[in-house]
Amino acid sequence: MSTTRRQFLHASTATALGGSTGWCRSADDDLAAAAPAASVSIAFSRFDLGIASGSPTADSVVLWTRLTGSDLPTRVEVQWELAHDEAFTRIAARGTDMAAASWAHSVHAQPRGLEPGRWYWYRFQALGERSATGRTRTAPRPNARATTPLRFAIASCQRYDAGHYAAWRDVAEQNLDLVMFLGDYIYEGASRSDFPRRHEGGEAHDLESYRARYATYKRDPLLQAAHASAPWLMVWDDHEVENDYAGLQDPRLDPLFPARRAAAYQAYWEHMPFPKAARPRFDTPGGAMRITGRLDWGSLARIHLLDGRQHRDPQACPRPGRGGSNTVKSAECAALLDPRRTLLGAEQERWLAEGWDLHRPWNLLAQQTLMARHSWTDTADGGGTYWSDGWDGYPLARQRLLGAVAKRRVPGVVVLGGDVHAHVVADLKADFDRPESPTVATEFCGTSIASHGRPQELLDMARTFNPHIQLSRSDRRGCMLFTLDAEHLQVALRAVDDVNDPASNVRTSASFVVEADRPGAIAA
């Protein structure tokens, strides 16, 4: 880790602890400040939501920021720079984007023609001020032989008021190539009085309140440090809109929900490093935004990004007069076995089935929730008891997905998920009713950054009914770290000692290895 990077992370931590250090101004920043634009002040009041990058390809990456301030003009020119070095003495690309009030003065710059497989530094300038500096990178050429491992993290469920973000400090310190965020970037509900932090307002329900909620999260210095440390790949889950929504239906069966979803989708795009082409469309009820996509990381891996919310069928067997999730007994909910029901939607199911890579050693499936069957009761008693919002609520859709993996012998399938606020490591079976059936894929479902989990004793009891689950820990907050090469995937389950302390120690609570030609996790 460079001196500049250590100073940057130290400054972020000091701010989180209530210090006045703020963003680090390193020696390299001083060199940059001496560049021709001498009148530019190194201040962040216009850039107090931080910066981010994402959606990398072999020749491009998205650079994000959002201007703030009550006196912003309707349209503001924002200059951006991308450099080969932290001191910005060797500029690789520069340009100007227009930040418009109609899109919350957000910027989604997309420099092209970049060199594949290399690191860059970036920053923004507007209205006489300059942003902090971020680090990003491009992906290797699609057919480039892997000479170094891919190092990445998965994270999800960062409820702001539930705790502090020591886990993000840990991510920022790891020198990763990628961060995959797998849903629940914000929580739409009001703050709880018994939680350690507070955010503004009550429940987010319109464009302005969603924007305000994102701004609260974005101002956290440890989250900003994680964004500035590496490019992100993002998928959403439910709390970016409303808990347990499905397509155009929310749990309250509110006829006005499509308008709420459209506002939430707009705010999501405004605050995430997605390209301009991903901007939501509003020509249909509820808006539409494509987050489904793929990234080939050289010859090493294909990463598939799935949308498990926008296109799904409503949850099966809801409570009377309600939508949303329920805990149901298989024997009492015939809809669970309706083959027409889908979590991904028919079009996305086809897209995934046709896009498995049969030549690279790894296929990484980044999606929102736990895929492994997880019954809360003995499956010999009426087929088990399941939570209907996850893949257990769409068992035949899961069977189609895993059946295609087995039939086509797709190599190195590793499912990555979040949502359940627990570290879960599982073997994905061709037939979960037969524990001796072949393992066709491996699953690592990461715990939450801050959101609270269910009592651990409930998960301990449930494991007796789910022998394919190797580990499940709901008493840990944190993330998962991965190191991937052509032969092995090494996994570290990271756990925060105290989620109420932004300076908390973060340690590895368990480690696993997966072999490229042998599905299933091996405790290390």
Side-chain angles (χ1 to χ4, degrees):
M1 188 185 300
S2 69
T3 301
T4 301
R5 191 161 157 73
R6 284 195 184 96
Q7 291 172 331
F8 170 68
L9 294 170
H10 173 76
S12 298
T13 302
T15 303
L17 292 171
S20 59
T21 306
W23 289 100
C24 168
R25 187 164 182 241
S26 69
D28 287 337
D29 291 324
D30 290 332
L31 286 173
S39 62
V40 175
S41 63
I42 308 301
F44 306 114
S45 60
R46 295 297 187 186
F47 298 98
D48 72 332
L49 303 189
I51 57 176
S53 69
S55 305
T57 67
D59 66 352
S60 71
V61 67
V62 175
L63 309 178
W64 174 91
T65 194
R66 177 191 162 193
L67 302 181
T68 57
S70 60
D71 57 343
L72 284 172
T74 302
R75 293 167 63 83
V76 180
E77 287 191 349
V78 181
Q79 289 78 43
W80 53 265
E81 292 181 305
L82 191 77
H84 294 286
D85 62 318
E86 288 181 273
F88 286 81
T89 60
R90 295 188 298 126
I91 301 298
R94 56 164 51 103
T96 300
D97 270 45
M98 190 66 68
S102 56
W103 295 97
H105 290 100
S106 61
V107 177
H108 301 72
Q110 195 167 3
R112 299 183 182 275
L114 305 180
E115 298 176 30
R118 68 150 296 147
W119 288 97
Y120 292 93
W121 283 261
Y122 66 97
R123 64 190 181 188
F124 299 89
Q125 178 179 311
L127 300 174
E129 296 183 9
R130 183 178 292 155
S131 74
T133 296
R135 190 182 76 141
T136 191
R137 64 161 300 161
T138 51
R141 285 190 180 92
N143 295 320
R145 184 174 66 87
T147 58
T148 58
L150 167 62
R151 300 191 68 247
F152 66 95
I154 64 170
S156 62
C157 303
Q158 57 171 357
R159 180 163 179 163
Y160 177 87
D161 53 338
H164 286 276
Y165 287 169
W168 281 132
R169 188 196 72 243
D170 183 47
V171 167
E173 293 171 350
Q174 293 296 331
N175 197 29
L176 301 172
D177 296 296
L178 288 172
V179 175
M180 300 186 198
F181 193 84
L182 304 180
D184 294 343
Y185 191 96
I186 62 165
Y187 278 68
E188 81 289 5
S191 283
R192 284 178 43 169
S193 60
D194 58 335
F195 277 2
R197 297 206 280 185
R198 298 287 183 275
H199 56 64
E200 82 304 321
E203 184 171 349
H205 62 280
D206 59 14
L207 182 56
E208 291 309 311
S209 56
Y210 281 113
R211 285 172 170 171
R213 189 62 46 86
Y214 277 103
T216 296
Y217 281 59
K218 288 283 189 179
R219 288 189 175 100
D220 186 281
L222 300 184
L223 175 57
Q224 289 190 4
H227 269 300
S229 69
W232 284 35
L233 300 174
M234 297 78 57
V235 297
W236 55 31
D237 196 23
D238 52 344
H239 286 288
E240 286 88 352
V241 182
E242 183 180 5
N243 182 45
D244 283 358
Y245 87 93
L248 291 172
Q249 177 178 295
D250 76 335
R252 290 173 281 200
L253 305 179
D254 183 356
L256 300 179
F257 175 72
R260 179 181 182 180
R261 194 188 85 164
Y265 281 13
Q266 176 171 342
Y268 180 77
W269 180 84
E270 289 172 346
H271 292 85
M272 296 293 114
F274 279 100
K276 295 182 181 72
R279 187 159 52 191
R281 305 188 325 270
F282 302 111
D283 51 357
T284 59
M289 178 176 169
R290 183 181 175 90
I291 67 168
T292 304
R294 287 194 182 94
L295 171 62
D296 289 337
W297 197 265
S299 62
L300 182 62
R302 174 165 289 181
I303 303 169
H304 312 260
L305 302 164
L306 298 187
D307 181 350
R309 282 293 161 188
Q310 186 173 189
H311 310 295
R312 66 160 64 191
D313 289 314
Q315 297 88 343
C317 303
R319 296 176 180 86
R322 296 276 295 175
S325 69
N326 196 5
T327 301
V328 297
K329 292 185 176 180
S330 179
E332 298 174 0
C333 183
L336 287 178
L337 299 181
D338 183 344
R340 297 168 297 180
R341 298 186 67 252
T342 172
L343 183 72
L344 302 178
E347 180 181 347
Q348 191 176 198
E349 279 196 22
R350 286 192 298 270
W351 175 88
L352 179 61
E354 294 168 358
W356 292 115
D357 194 306
L358 304 183
H359 303 290
R360 290 175 176 83
W362 298 99
N363 282 266
L364 307 180
L365 190 62
Q367 48 88 58
Q368 292 83 355
T369 190
L370 181 68
M371 185 173 287
R373 190 188 70 180
H374 190 277
S375 178
W376 292 101
T377 60
D378 192 338
T379 56
D381 179 20
T385 303
Y386 302 100
W387 177 52
S388 66
D389 191 61
W391 282 98
D392 279 332
Y394 305 80
L396 295 190
R398 175 177 60 201
Q399 189 177 73
R400 288 193 295 271
L401 191 158
L402 295 177
V405 169
K407 182 178 180 180
R408 300 190 64 193
R409 298 183 180 180
V410 181
V413 175
V414 178
V415 175
L416 308 169
D419 184 34
V420 297
H421 306 178
H423 277 321
V424 182
V425 180
D427 298 332
L428 297 180
K429 295 286 187 176
D431 184 350
F432 287 108
D433 290 325
R434 295 172 50 244
E436 72 280 6
S437 70
T439 297
V440 301
T442 314
E443 179 166 28
F444 294 96
C445 188
T447 191
S448 54
I449 289 288
S451 309
H452 294 182
R454 302 194 71 178
Q456 180 61 36
E457 55 267 26
L458 295 180
L459 274 69
D460 293 339
M461 178 187 67
R463 278 196 62 200
T464 63
F465 312 128
N466 303 281
H468 51 279
I469 293 180
Q470 297 195 33
L471 176 146
S472 54
R473 294 297 300 265
S474 61
D475 56 348
R476 298 284 190 267
R477 311 279 70 79
C479 68
M480 287 187 179
L481 302 179
F482 298 80
T483 302
L484 183 71
D485 62 30
E487 297 179 349
H488 301 95
L489 174 65
Q490 301 174 57
V491 188
L493 279 58
R494 301 289 283 173
V496 174
D497 284 348
D498 182 2
V499 74
N500 294 323
D501 179 6
S504 173
N505 186 48
V506 186
R507 66 187 72 230
T508 296
S509 61
S511 299
F512 290 84
V513 174
V514 182
E515 298 175 359
D517 57 356
R518 180 188 170 190
I522 304 168

